[in-house]
Amino acid sequence: EASRFRQQLSFLRDHFTVIDFDTFKNLFDGSAALPDDRPAAMLTFDDGMASNYEVAAPLLEDAGMRGVFFVVPRFSLCDERAARRFYVERVRNRPPGLTAMTPEQIRDLADRGHTIGNHTLTHARLSQTPEAEWESEVLDSADIIESWIGRRVEAFSWPFRWDAITPDVHRLAIARHPLCFSPCSGRVDLQTDSPTILWRTSVETSYDLAEFRFKCSRLADYVSAGRRRRLASWLRVNA
């Protein structure tokens, strides 16, 4: 969806200060400030699909932007045929399946200034993953990604729903990754939110501009307000 994504980037550039991962971290620790009153936006991409490398990253770079790409090592280690099957079975049950970025492409993105994050080893639904597999899904996955990119993996995001995690797995993830991103929509408030539970608003490049504008508005945040409160309370109380 290159043409729509280009339109979305243009809208973001006009209405937001688009930042990269390092700026986001610096805003959180108070060592950076935004240049004006516009809200900040950071773009993240899940699953490590080949189109992230072939389409999204070049368009970001053309606009002077950098993104955060959460990858799934087991997906990236598949050949093309196996990757299409993996996508349908593990990521989204909607054929035709899509292929993944290779480890070499992931390293190249990191070298070009993008951030690579951990999205579990196998795109696991962590709330249903046996305890014996937690370290493999979270820690071994981070080790593999770090071996590919030659850098520390500082960001983690869990797949599927906002509640597809448990406090114990969350505690394991934040012990390894300073920042943990949830699949729960909302804007991050630097004054009240924690870097261990960060909100992300899900958008698709298939959205027309009107729908995309709505998703970027504060009106869209109200829909998930209850989920954000429940998730923050649940993870913090039980951690």
Side-chain angles (χ1 to χ4, degrees), residues 12 32 86 92 130 164 185 224 235:
L12 290 174
F86 185 102
R92 186 176 296 185
S185 292
S224 298
L235 295 183

Short mmCIF file of all heavy atoms in Angstrom, two decimals, residues 12 32 86 92 130 164 185 224 235:
data_model
loop_
_atom_site.label_atom_id
_atom_site.label_comp_id
_atom_site.label_asym_id
_atom_site.label_seq_id
_atom_site.Cartn_x
_atom_site.Cartn_y
_atom_site.Cartn_z
N LEU A 12 1.11 12.91 8.84
CA LEU A 12 1.84 12.93 10.11
C LEU A 12 2.86 14.06 10.15
O LEU A 12 3.00 14.76 11.15
CB LEU A 12 2.54 11.59 10.33
CG LEU A 12 1.64 10.39 10.63
CD1 LEU A 12 2.46 9.11 10.67
CD2 LEU A 12 0.89 10.58 11.94
N ALA A 32 15.43 15.53 26.34
CA ALA A 32 15.04 16.12 25.06
C ALA A 32 13.72 16.84 25.23
O ALA A 32 12.96 16.56 26.17
CB ALA A 32 14.94 15.06 23.97
N PHE A 86 3.92 -20.02 7.88
CA PHE A 86 4.08 -19.49 9.24
C PHE A 86 3.17 -18.29 9.44
O PHE A 86 2.50 -18.17 10.48
CB PHE A 86 5.54 -19.08 9.45
CG PHE A 86 5.87 -18.61 10.85
CD1 PHE A 86 6.52 -19.45 11.74
CD2 PHE A 86 5.54 -17.33 11.28
CE1 PHE A 86 6.83 -19.02 13.03
CE2 PHE A 86 5.84 -16.90 12.56
CZ PHE A 86 6.48 -17.74 13.44
N ARG A 92 -1.39 -14.15 11.24
CA ARG A 92 -2.75 -13.72 10.90
C ARG A 92 -3.35 -14.75 9.96
O ARG A 92 -2.82 -14.96 8.87
CB ARG A 92 -2.73 -12.34 10.24
CG ARG A 92 -4.09 -11.75 9.97
CD ARG A 92 -4.00 -10.34 9.42
NE ARG A 92 -3.41 -9.41 10.36
CZ ARG A 92 -3.32 -8.10 10.15
NH1 ARG A 92 -3.77 -7.56 9.03
NH2 ARG A 92 -2.76 -7.32 11.06
N PRO A 130 3.12 -21.97 27.72
CA PRO A 130 3.57 -22.64 28.94
C PRO A 130 4.77 -21.94 29.56
O PRO A 130 5.62 -21.38 28.85
CB PRO A 130 3.94 -24.04 28.45
CG PRO A 130 3.20 -24.23 27.17
CD PRO A 130 3.12 -22.87 26.55
N ALA A 164 -3.07 -10.26 25.99
CA ALA A 164 -2.44 -11.54 25.65
C ALA A 164 -1.06 -11.66 26.28
O ALA A 164 -0.07 -12.00 25.63
CB ALA A 164 -2.36 -11.69 24.13
N SER A 185 -4.45 0.61 22.32
CA SER A 185 -4.43 1.94 21.72
C SER A 185 -4.40 3.04 22.76
O SER A 185 -4.97 2.91 23.85
CB SER A 185 -5.65 2.12 20.82
OG SER A 185 -5.57 1.27 19.69
N SER A 224 -10.38 3.01 24.04
CA SER A 224 -9.56 2.04 24.77
C SER A 224 -9.17 2.50 26.16
O SER A 224 -8.33 1.87 26.81
CB SER A 224 -8.28 1.75 23.97
OG SER A 224 -8.60 1.18 22.72
N LEU A 235 -0.99 -5.34 35.51
CA LEU A 235 0.44 -5.64 35.44
C LEU A 235 1.21 -5.06 36.60
O LEU A 235 2.13 -5.69 37.13
CB LEU A 235 1.01 -5.13 34.11
CG LEU A 235 0.47 -5.82 32.85
CD1 LEU A 235 1.16 -5.27 31.61
CD2 LEU A 235 0.64 -7.34 32.92
#
